[in-house]
Amino acid sequence: MGLKASQSSGRRPFIYAGALLWLMMTPVHADEAQPERAKDLRYGWALYEYHQGNAFEALTQLAVARERGGIKGHGDHPALVEGGLMLSWGMTREASRLFTQLLGADGAGSNLSPDVRNQAWFYLGKVFYLEGNQALARENLNRVDCEILAEADHDLFREWIYLRSRLVMMSARPDDEPELASLREQLDETDIWSLYLRYNSAVSALDAADGAAAEEALKKLIAILDQSIDSVEPDAEREGLLGRARLSLAGLYLRDNQFEAALEVLGAMPLTGVFADQALFDYAVAAAGQGRPERALDALDTLANRELFLPWRQQVPFARAYVLEQMNAPQRALPAFKKAADHYEARIRELDNIRDRLNEENLMAQLEFSRDSDGILTDSYGRLRVQPLDSGMAEVLASETFQQALAELNELYRMQSFIAERQSRFESFRIMLETREQQRQIRIAETRRALETQQADQWQQLHEDFTDRISSALEDEDAGFLDDAPKYYQPGIIPQAPLKPS
């Protein structure tokens, strides 16, 4: 497996957060200025959810907008944003279909600018690469116009060369060698991407059982790094790669029993750093193999004084006792073996206890998450920014499988929170409707009581009778009706009005 971006991330791919933001900030048309604000309210809502870190809600808003007639005034840009959001959620197949439909198989099926199309294909190819799908990664990366990409973003162009080169290296086809050489020529020798390619070439040579080629590649890499690292302001990434290269070269020498060469390489490594402990142990192995047990014991004693929480370090107590035995010091070797046995027994009991009480709650309690006002922060590849409170969790936390599970668990928690929030809103709406219904019933009852107090039914009946009597008197020209009129009159209800015969 190669280093840098070549690390596989299983079934859940990740995309640079900055890539999606870039796609969202680019102009809609090649010759059209970028709008300062959303022209469509629904699109503005989706963008707001995205900038709040709510990718699921943003996708939901875009889907709702599409069902209600689509977003107006932004061309194909909302679809491109939706594809980027799909990538960030691991929906690579859906994103691929959307991009292909949007941009066309040749990348010319949209009025989006060439820069945007290029970056869309680049990030889609990169996600498939991280997912381990070499065929789709190659297909999408091959759609990128390298000249346009180099002019628009040279950093992405360098990474594109690295990804293309790694795909060629992984294909292991002899006819791909000219293509690989052509790609590597476009990178400076001291470029960090070129250095990673050198290291991965050495790994590929080892996989092919070509130890000589691997040794030559590692030596060349170490020489370049030694010359390119600034002693005043050292680059941590280059220093880490240098340590990794030296450790790999020493391991190659140890495999071939070249103990003197291994000691020379390991002796140049600092006692601090990421690979210091592994270098100390390999140094002890090389010294013991060369017949210098005293030097091996010094390295093991230094290592034994450090916390032995990594699995491979558990062999240190036994190795120390073994070296003492080889030194013909049985008085020191016997207690060392006993101490090693006690250490392993205690470690087994400790691991059994940890296993028995291990659950999600106390596991999460051992992790410290980096947060801001929007929630848990993630790195460029979508992994959560988290540090272990217990150093024993460091190796587990560093594993890709654990990182994927942790990220997916966090997404499930966010979705659970989102659903709970929506349910809470629906419940509030239901309570609001019930309250309004109760108020309506109260007002109806009050109105009925008021009408009953005013004897509305009696008034209506009397009014109808009086109207009929008037109509009849008018038809019969009965002037005597006036003498009977007072019995139809109810003070306060029917107004007095003089009646005149027709």
Side-chain angles (χ1 to χ4, degrees), residues 56-57 412-426:
F56 178 73
E57 291 86 341
L412 288 175
Y413 280 143
R414 290 182 59 195
M415 187 175 294
Q416 182 185 49
S417 175
F418 172 77
I419 294 174
E421 180 187 356
R422 291 298 184 272
Q423 288 178 339
S424 175
R425 292 183 181 180
F426 288 139

Side-chain angles (χ1 to χ4, degrees), residues 250-265:
L252 184 61
Y253 288 144
L254 288 175
R255 188 194 68 175
D256 297 335
N257 294 328
Q258 300 181 41
F259 301 118
E260 186 66 34
L263 285 174
E264 182 179 353
V265 174

Side-chain angles (χ1 to χ4, degrees), residues 53 364 368-379 382-386 406 410-411 413-414:
M364 299 298 283
E368 180 179 0
F369 296 91
S370 298
R371 301 174 182 270
D372 62 8
S373 58
D374 296 326
I376 299 176
L377 298 175
T378 58
D379 65 10
R383 302 179 183 89
L384 304 182
R385 292 187 181 178
V386 57
L406 195 62
N410 180 60
E411 293 290 354
Y413 280 143
R414 290 182 59 195

Side-chain angles (χ1 to χ4, degrees), residues 27-32 74-78 102-104 107-117:
V28 177
H29 301 282
D31 56 351
E32 182 179 340
H74 291 273
D76 294 329
H77 204 244
L102 175 64
L103 305 178
S110 169
N111 58 359
L112 292 168
S113 70
D115 290 351
V116 177
R117 293 200 298 269

Side-chain angles (χ1 to χ4, degrees), residues 443-462:
R443 287 194 296 271
I444 291 174
E446 291 175 347
T447 303
R448 285 177 177 173
R449 285 194 296 269
L451 291 175
E452 290 173 358
T453 301
Q454 296 177 6
Q455 299 179 343
D457 293 340
Q458 297 177 18
W459 178 89
Q460 180 70 21
Q461 184 62 43
L462 185 61

